[in-house]
Amino acid sequence: PNPSSPPAQIGSALPLPSSAARLPAPPAAAGSNLAAPRRPTGMADMTLLPAAGDGAEAARPRKKKTMKSLYLAFFDTAADGRSRACRLCGKTYCLTTATGNLGKHLNNRHPGYDQLADHHLHLQGDPAQSAISGMFARSKKPQAPARAHPQPQPQSQAQVQVQSVQAQAKARAVRAQPSAKPAVDVDYVNWLLLRWLIGSSFPPSTLEDSSFVDSCRYLNPAVRLWPKEKAQEITLQVFKSMKEDVKASLQRVRSRLSISLEFWTSYEQIVYLSVKCHWIDETWVSQKLLLDVCRVRCHCTGADILRVLLAVLQDFNIDLKILACTHNNSQHAIHACEELRRELESRKLPFCYIPCAAKALEVIIEDGLQNVKPVLSKAREFILETNSNQEMLVDFKHWTEVYQEGPCKFPLDHSANWNGNYNVLDIVKKAPNAMDNTIKKFQDIFGPRDWVLSDEEKSVVNSLHSYLEPFYKTTTNLCTCKLPTVGLVFFFMDHVFELINVCHDSSHQKLFEKIARDMSKTARDFTSQAYNIYTFTAAILDPRIKGELIPDALNSTSNLEDARDHFVRDYSSIFQAPRNGYSTQQDNTEDGGAFSFAEEIIRKRRRVSMSTAADELTQYLAEPPAPISTDALEWWRGHSSRYPRLSLMARDFLAIQGTSLDPEELFTSKGDSIHKQQYCLPLSSMQATMCIKSWMQSGYQFNFQSTIIDFERLIESATAPDAVNGPESS
């Protein structure tokens, strides 16, 4: 397709294959009839043996017409002339088998065979077609061949009986034949499979798995799956086409952008960097978009990361629109962000970078669990056995009812993330007696090792469970929060820091004193990196936080004055047209009077803006914060007309991310499937597969060389009951 032309749309804008095209009866193959059949001598012979040879006799034309059935086109006569073999599966039948039985075989074993005759009747040719040419093809309904109408001839009583028997057999065959299934375009199947591979993060080599290929051929023998090389090539072409769409959409974004960085290592021991972009659009909807997945050196430095990051930002032409970057707390990422800050500040562009709060919270929680790892291991082993053994599960439920312990949610969570660890502690604290009795009853399963927890171990678990419960509530709120803004994240982190300080100051147990000491160090490192003028501004622009709920270590008069100066300098001179019809865009009409009048209004408003801009921020901060359950973006959508300049600043700063990845991916089992996909993809598929999948989830259309693949219409066309010529083109 011509890239400059508008994209076509496969499935909705292009004709689809017909669904019920019946093939004409092909000519009889040479040698398919018996060489010299004997003349039937009885009624049984006349109904079983085919008619051949001399066509002048009165009883033969009817039999000859019957043996040219459509069913016979799918069977080959053996060399010995005694059997027929199915062309689709090779199953053999006696030559005297009725055509009705052959039809039952085709209908039961090869549904839709009559719609795919082109793929089976021309086995000598090349069945492969290009991906696009096959999708453009429209199945044509063949015209029925003209039939000769023989002149009626006198019929004997035997001939009448033969015709009656044949008519009854034909009627039974018609009743046994199910309705024809819609035609299947093999290239459509491959496109749907390609979407499945990308959505499931499977490599293209999956298409060559023998079991998978056999399953597809069983469902439809006409399907010819693409080789992995072709699937890989098409995937790369789709990646390039969709990347251009992403670039074009980013150029239409009018606000500042924030980015987040994430690193992981695959099974090939290759380190990858993903760069995500965040912004708030003009309708106050938070947008998130994966820009690219890049390979970095295994022992990369900050300079290596900066080089890769700058290449991505410049490729998408957004390097001058970045306001903030949230990294994964590694020293190399910090070094890269610092170099990027210097680069942007040399161009007089504001920029800040902050650590990931979720990563810091994960380290803090790991410090708290460090001394109970042996207890967690024993309890997790018990949960694994209980979930896999129905008898143990029933016994454990019985004991929880006897001792009135619990409640426990079944199946018991035993994942290795923070939610799973806390659930293990929860079971040990809430159902200790049920655990002990179940372990004693099934002692042969657990072996000689003592799995019953001691009183001291239970005491430590109970104390730690109570101490970590606020941490669990904090992570749960972060995971369920619709938009974890910087202000809200700092609010929760400040609560965690208070818990750590209280434990450190008042605890008389040596265990918790050490835990609190390790936690305090991580907390101090986070605050020293995260608290700055940019994060302060982002926090106060959250209507739920403002100046009242901001952390004390961040809330200062100097930060407020710096934020006010930044607002007056960069946002007060921005003229936002009100909704009464005035506009700031230049008028290209020849009416100079109207143009001068508009410019005069604009200049007047700009002069007033410098004196009233600070009043917007002062008035906003003077009002009490909104309830903590308020949607921050919904609040600004309703108050943007009241604070026209401040709302522009809020759109920029509320897009700064408090975490480099979704907290749910870090603290819950949702992250397990994502990490498996990231780990299992090979180098040849990682970038294209991860990006296309993310772009489709963000609403971008599956684009192949300026051709839009409409998968929903493809599926609808395959399930349409009576689409003889396919749906109409739209």
Side-chain angles (χ1 to χ4, degrees), residues 25-93:
S32 61
N33 294 330
L34 293 179
R38 64 184 179 86
R39 186 178 183 85
T41 58
M43 184 62 66
D45 292 336
M46 295 178 69
T47 58
L48 294 178
L49 293 179
D54 188 6
E57 299 184 23
R60 291 188 180 181
R62 191 69 177 179
K63 294 293 290 183
K64 185 174 182 180
K65 177 181 177 182
T66 302
M67 297 313 291
K68 288 184 179 180
S69 169
L70 170 65
Y71 304 142
L72 296 181
F74 293 88
F75 289 86
D76 290 327
T77 304
D80 57 3
R82 298 181 180 179
S83 62
R84 291 190 178 95
C86 177
R87 293 187 178 186
L88 305 182
C89 65
K91 183 175 179 60
T92 59
Y93 288 90

Side-chain angles (χ1 to χ4, degrees), residues 663-691:
E664 195 174 6
E665 297 180 13
L666 194 61
F667 297 120
T668 70
S669 57
K670 178 183 177 181
D672 295 342
S673 60
I674 296 177
H675 298 155
K676 289 178 183 178
Q677 295 171 1
Q678 293 174 341
Y679 179 80
C680 295
L681 279 173
L683 174 63
S684 58
S685 304
M686 180 69 74
Q687 181 188 42
T689 300
M690 297 294 292
C691 289

Side-chain angles (χ1 to χ4, degrees), residues 209-356:
D209 181 79
S210 58
S211 300
F212 180 76
V213 172
D214 292 342
S215 300
C216 292
R217 288 179 177 174
Y218 176 79
L219 294 175
N220 196 316
V223 171
R224 297 294 181 266
L225 302 183
W226 289 337
K228 64 179 182 181
E229 294 79 11
K230 182 175 182 179
Q232 178 70 30
E233 179 183 357
I234 292 179
T235 302
L236 293 176
Q237 291 294 330
V238 171
F239 167 72
K240 294 177 181 178
S241 300
M242 295 185 68
K243 186 176 181 179
E244 295 301 319
D245 295 340
V246 173
K247 289 181 181 180
S249 66
L250 286 176
Q251 297 310 306
R252 296 190 292 268
V253 177
R254 300 178 60 184
S255 61
R256 300 295 295 274
L257 308 173
S258 295
I259 59 175
S260 58
L261 309 181
E262 183 183 358
F263 297 83
W264 72 86
T265 304
S266 71
Y267 76 98
E268 298 173 318
Q269 297 303 305
I270 298 177
V271 181
Y272 293 94
L273 164 65
S274 70
V275 184
K276 294 181 180 178
C277 180
H278 310 264
W279 73 95
I280 298 174
D281 63 21
E282 296 181 356
T283 61
W284 291 96
V285 176
S286 177
Q287 302 290 344
K288 178 175 66 175
L289 185 64
L290 175 64
L291 295 181
D292 210 344
V293 174
C294 307
R295 178 183 180 181
V296 295
R297 284 174 24 184
C298 184
H299 300 288
C300 60
T301 62
D304 297 329
I305 297 176
L306 177 62
R307 184 166 52 253
V308 174
L309 178 58
L310 280 177
V312 173
L313 299 180
Q314 292 170 359
D315 187 22
F316 285 87
N317 196 24
I318 59 173
D319 53 315
L320 302 181
K321 299 175 65 175
I322 301 301
L323 176 63
C325 175
T326 307
H327 56 78
N328 71 329
N329 305 7
S330 66
Q331 290 299 319
H332 296 320
I334 294 174
H335 176 68
C337 290
E338 175 62 22
E339 293 298 324
L340 180 60
R341 182 189 67 82
R342 295 176 183 175
E343 173 69 20
L344 294 178
E345 286 189 352
S346 66
R347 305 182 186 184
K348 306 299 182 182
L349 295 173
F351 176 78
C352 74
Y353 58 93
I354 62 174
C356 175

Side-chain angles (χ1 to χ4, degrees), residues 404-600:
Q404 296 183 353
E405 296 178 333
C408 298
K409 184 179 179 180
F410 298 94
L412 304 174
D413 185 9
H414 59 271
S415 55
N417 50 61
W418 160 234
N419 274 19
N421 287 331
Y422 184 80
N423 182 72
V424 172
L425 295 176
D426 197 56
I427 293 174
V428 173
K429 179 179 180 179
K430 293 182 177 179
N433 295 313
M435 282 184 60
D436 292 347
N437 283 275
T438 304
I439 291 174
K440 292 176 181 178
K441 180 177 180 179
F442 296 89
Q443 192 171 3
D444 55 329
I445 295 179
F446 295 99
R449 180 182 171 185
D450 186 13
W451 291 92
V452 179
L453 300 180
S454 64
D455 293 339
E456 182 181 358
E457 290 175 328
K458 293 178 182 178
S459 176
V460 171
V461 168
N462 291 339
S463 300
L464 189 61
H465 179 277
S466 301
Y467 175 62
L468 293 179
E469 184 176 5
F471 293 79
Y472 176 75
K473 293 180 179 179
T474 298
T475 57
T476 302
N477 277 272
L478 284 176
C479 293
T480 56
C481 180
K482 180 180 179 181
L483 180 66
T485 62
V486 169
L488 190 64
V489 169
F490 283 5
F491 169 74
F492 284 124
M493 294 295 288
D494 189 56
H495 176 63
V496 170
F497 298 158
E498 290 179 357
L499 294 173
I500 295 174
N501 293 331
V502 170
C503 178
H504 185 270
D505 296 337
S506 62
S507 177
H508 299 288
Q509 300 183 33
K510 185 173 294 186
L511 170 64
F512 289 102
E513 183 179 354
K514 182 180 183 302
I515 290 175
R517 185 169 58 251
D518 295 338
M519 288 180 171
S520 297
K521 182 181 182 302
T522 305
R524 288 193 301 270
D525 293 341
F526 174 79
T527 55
S528 64
Q529 299 176 27
Y531 290 176
N532 54 57
I533 176 58
Y534 295 95
T535 54
F536 171 83
T537 305
I540 64 173
L541 289 176
D542 189 330
R544 302 165 295 186
I545 305 299
K546 293 190 175 181
E548 295 187 13
L549 300 181
I550 199 169
D552 293 336
L554 183 61
N555 194 6
S556 65
T557 305
S558 61
N559 282 339
L560 180 59
E561 291 302 322
D562 290 341
R564 190 184 304 275
D565 293 341
H566 179 63
F567 171 58
V568 173
R569 181 180 66 251
D570 296 338
Y571 293 91
S572 63
S573 61
I574 298 177
F575 176 73
Q576 187 181 38
R579 297 181 181 178
N580 58 5
Y582 294 115
S583 174
T584 63
Q585 297 180 353
Q586 292 185 352
D587 191 354
N588 294 326
T589 63
E590 298 179 356
D591 190 351
F595 177 78
S596 300
F597 175 70
E599 282 295 321
E600 182 180 353

